[in-house]
Amino acid sequence: MSFFERNRAQLAELGIDPARLPPGQYHTERFPVLHAGSVPDVDLDEWDFVVDGLVEERLAWSWDDMVAMATSDVVADIHCVTKWTKFDTRWTGIPTRQVWNQIAPSPDARFVIVNAYHGFTANLPVEDFLSEDALFATHFDGEPLEPEHGYPMRLVVPHLYFWKSVKWVRGFTLVAEDQPGFWERNGYHMYGDPFKQQRYWGDT
Ligand SMILES: Nc1nc2c(c(=O)[nH]1)N[C@H]1C(S)=C(S)[C@@H](COP(=O)(O)O)O[C@H]1N2
Ligand SMILES: [Mo]
């Protein structure tokens, strides 16, 4: 039996429905750290969250503005394209819908480019960005995010591969046409459904 087969076989013993583990993935209790470049130095006094592009008016919220917004808790499985899956991760933060309700998007806005420190970006359709369990998380497992996991805020969109879940997020840009973000320019799939194994360019 291969490592992957053994790992999948363990799920029954753990009481986890094997259907929750996407094809080609293994589950882990660890929380690996993955990103390009360095962990940014964050100064909350200078931090802002900017919404621009196809929106009636560009908006910029301070850290205090953001944390005054209502939060919710999400428990979800996360799937990294490097093949690890972590079940039942618990995040607290501001639902993307809650942010969306405070902006005036143009009807032409069909995609969101999420922006972070160091010019990092990721693209996703508005519909996915607004999924019920998508949020701008400030806490993992009840504790503020660790610097390497995205402190002070990261996007979490559990139903897509985890590279879409932008760490050190600073806002988003609304656009009409899809355009590749950082990893998508470097070989990753434009959409990234883990259950369809949409990992790289050319995966259908
Ligand atoms: N700003 C930023 N966010 C990022 C990345 C990155 O390079 N920069 N990498 C993505 C990738 S490829 C993955 S798998 C996840 C990893 O999140 P973690 O380090 O908290 O496990 O962050 C995503 N968010
Ligand atoms: Mo990744």
Side-chain angles (χ1 to χ4, degrees):
M1 230 199 250
S2 74
F3 165 77
F4 282 88
E5 285 166 337
R6 252 183 292 120
N7 181 275
R8 190 170 282 273
Q10 281 171 0
L11 289 174
E13 292 160 40
L14 293 170
I16 292 174
D17 179 358
R20 284 169 63 186
L21 187 64
Q25 297 288 113
Y26 67 91
H27 70 91
T28 179
E29 308 259 286
R30 296 184 311 117
F31 195 172
V33 170
L34 279 131
H35 54 260
S38 54
V39 175
D41 278 325
V42 174
D43 177 352
L44 291 182
D45 292 330
E46 281 175 18
W47 190 95
D48 61 2
F49 187 99
V50 172
V51 182
D52 60 8
L54 295 175
V55 65
E56 208 164 274
E57 180 189 17
R58 178 187 185 274
L59 289 165
W61 286 300
S62 69
W63 178 253
D64 290 342
D65 294 336
M66 279 307 273
V67 292
M69 296 180 194
T71 61
S72 55
D73 268 11
V74 162
V75 176
D77 304 340
I78 56 177
H79 313 291
C80 176
V81 72
T82 62
K83 305 201 167 176
W84 56 268
T85 285
K86 189 169 169 62
F87 292 115
D88 295 320
T89 60
R90 185 164 64 90
W91 305 91
T92 308
I94 304 150
T96 52
R97 290 179 181 188
Q98 157 98 8
V99 175
W100 193 262
N101 289 342
Q102 299 175 65
I103 68 174
S106 149
D108 297 334
R110 291 173 50 239
F111 294 88
V112 169
I113 309 297
V114 183
N115 302 307
Y117 281 83
H118 305 327
F120 182 87
T121 53
N123 57 307
L124 62 173
V126 166
E127 197 187 333
D128 294 87
F129 176 73
L130 295 180
S131 69
E132 206 173 341
D133 55 1
L135 79 177
F136 290 109
T138 54
H139 290 70
F140 173 75
D141 237 351
E143 299 290 335
L145 296 180
E146 300 281 345
E148 61 271 27
H149 286 297
Y151 173 87
M153 184 178 280
R154 78 176 298 165
L155 180 64
V156 176
V157 180
H159 74 283
L160 298 176
Y161 278 125
F162 208 39
W163 84 77
K164 301 284 186 183
S165 291
V166 174
K167 303 195 277 192
W168 313 297
V169 67
R170 289 293 295 271
F172 57 90
T173 304
L174 282 63
V175 296
E177 304 294 335
D178 201 6
Q179 49 183 271
F182 176 85
W183 288 111
E184 294 81 6
R185 281 195 298 276
N186 286 283
Y188 285 11
H189 196 274
M190 285 294 270
Y191 183 66
D193 181 341
F195 286 91
K196 294 184 178 161
Q197 293 213 68
Q198 294 173 335
R199 298 174 190 273
Y200 309 114
W201 294 349
D203 291 345
T204 50

